Amino acid sequence: MTSTVPALGTRTAEGSALQAVLLDMDGTLVDTEGFWWDAEVAVFAALGHTLDKAWQKIVVGGPMTRSAGFLIEATGADITLPEVSVLLNEGFERRIGQSLPLMPGAARLLAELSAHRVPTALVSASHRRIIDRVLHSLGPANFHLTVAGDEVARTKPHPDPYLIAAAGLGAAPERCAVIEDTATGVAAAEAAGCHVVAVPSVAPIEPAHRRTVVTSLEHVNLPFLHGLMTP
C-alpha cells in the first residue's frame, strides 16, 4: 500500500461534503477484464479444461482466491490455488505489455480530480505486482493512495479495502464516492458505507439506495460526484 496525502485544507472544493474519490482499477479505469478472462481461459486450457463463457460473469471483479478457486472447483483441475494464482498473474502481465487501453472518460476524470486536488485512492483486488504495472498507464501521480488485494486480510467483497483507503486519506467513508464496475466491488464499497457510482463492465448492476448506475465514465465529473453527497 502506498500513500502520499495532501494537507487537509487542499482536499476538496470549499464547502463540499465530498472528501475523497476511491476508484477500482480493472474494468473501471482500464479495459482489462477481457485480458483477465483470456488469461484464465489459456491457463485452464493448458491444464486440459475448457471454461464456460458464462463463468466470466461469476469470476469478474473477484479476488484471486475467489475467482481462481471457483474455476478450480468448476473444472476439477488438478492444481492448487497458489499455483494457479501465479500462472494467472503471469498470463495477465504478458497480455498488458507496456500500455493499456483506458476506459472512455477515465483519463479526463483523473485529470479533473487531480486539477482540483481531490484526494483519490486506487482500490483493487489485483495484486501489488499488477497494480504497479498498470499505474504506468494510469499515472501514479493521479493517486494519493493505492490498495492492493494481496495487502489486506480480507479483500472485496469485504469492506476492508475501502475502509483502509478512506482512513488513509483521512476521509469518512460516508463522504467518499466509490467508482466500481462489478457487483463484488459495489458490495465492498456499500458495506464500507460509501456512495457508489457503478459503471457495469461485464455483468449488469441495478441502481439502489446510495448507488447510481451510469453507462460510462464519460457521464462522471466532479460536479456529478459532489451531487452524490447531497441529502
Side-chain angles (χ1 to χ4, degrees):
M1 182 167 59
T2 59
S3 175
T4 54
V5 183
L8 180 62
T10 66
R11 286 184 170 173
T12 55
E14 185 177 354
S16 171
L18 178 68
Q19 291 185 335
V21 178
L22 317 177
L23 304 105
D24 173 55
M25 187 176 76
D26 294 298
T28 298
L29 293 176
V30 287
D31 191 7
T32 50
E33 294 294 10
F35 291 178
W36 278 114
W37 180 246
D38 289 346
E40 289 160 348
V41 168
V43 166
F44 280 87
L47 296 170
H49 300 278
T50 300
L51 301 188
D52 188 326
K53 177 65 174 177
W55 293 345
Q56 184 180 13
K57 292 183 179 180
I58 299 174
V59 301
V60 67
M64 185 71 70
T65 52
R66 181 176 67 81
S67 56
F70 169 84
L71 294 175
I72 291 172
E73 183 176 354
T75 60
D78 184 18
I79 192 170
T80 67
L81 183 58
E83 289 171 339
V84 81
S85 295
V86 170
L87 294 175
L88 289 174
N89 276 317
E90 290 176 347
F92 179 77
E93 286 186 272
R94 285 195 296 271
R95 284 163 173 78
I96 63 177
Q98 296 300 312
S99 182
L100 280 170
L102 270 59
M103 299 298 287
R108 187 267 314 152
L109 176 60
L110 291 176
E112 183 179 6
L113 295 174
S114 179
H116 290 272
R117 305 188 72 181
V118 177
T120 56
L122 185 66
V123 184
S124 177
S126 289
H127 290 187
R128 169 57 56 189
R129 60 186 281 190
I130 299 297
I131 288 181
D132 288 345
R133 286 284 301 275
V134 174
L135 278 173
H136 289 298
S137 296
L138 289 175
N142 286 318
F143 305 97
H144 303 97
L145 174 72
T146 63
V147 179
D150 58 339
E151 296 175 338
V152 295
R154 301 189 309 170
T155 189
K156 305 173 186 179
H158 297 287
D160 306 36
Y162 283 113
L163 292 174
I164 290 169
L169 295 175
E174 65 272 16
R175 293 178 66 179
C176 293
V178 169
I179 304 179
E180 273 280 1
D181 73 303
T182 68
T184 299
V186 167
E190 291 181 340
C194 304
H195 294 262
V196 178
V197 179
V199 193
S201 59
V202 174
I205 299 172
E206 295 298 321
H209 178 59
R210 293 169 64 90
R211 182 198 308 166
T212 303
V213 179
V214 298
T215 57
S216 168
L217 286 180
E218 293 180 319
H219 301 300
V220 181
N221 55 25
L222 191 50
F224 174 92
L225 296 172
H226 282 312
L228 298 178
M229 303 295 122
T230 303

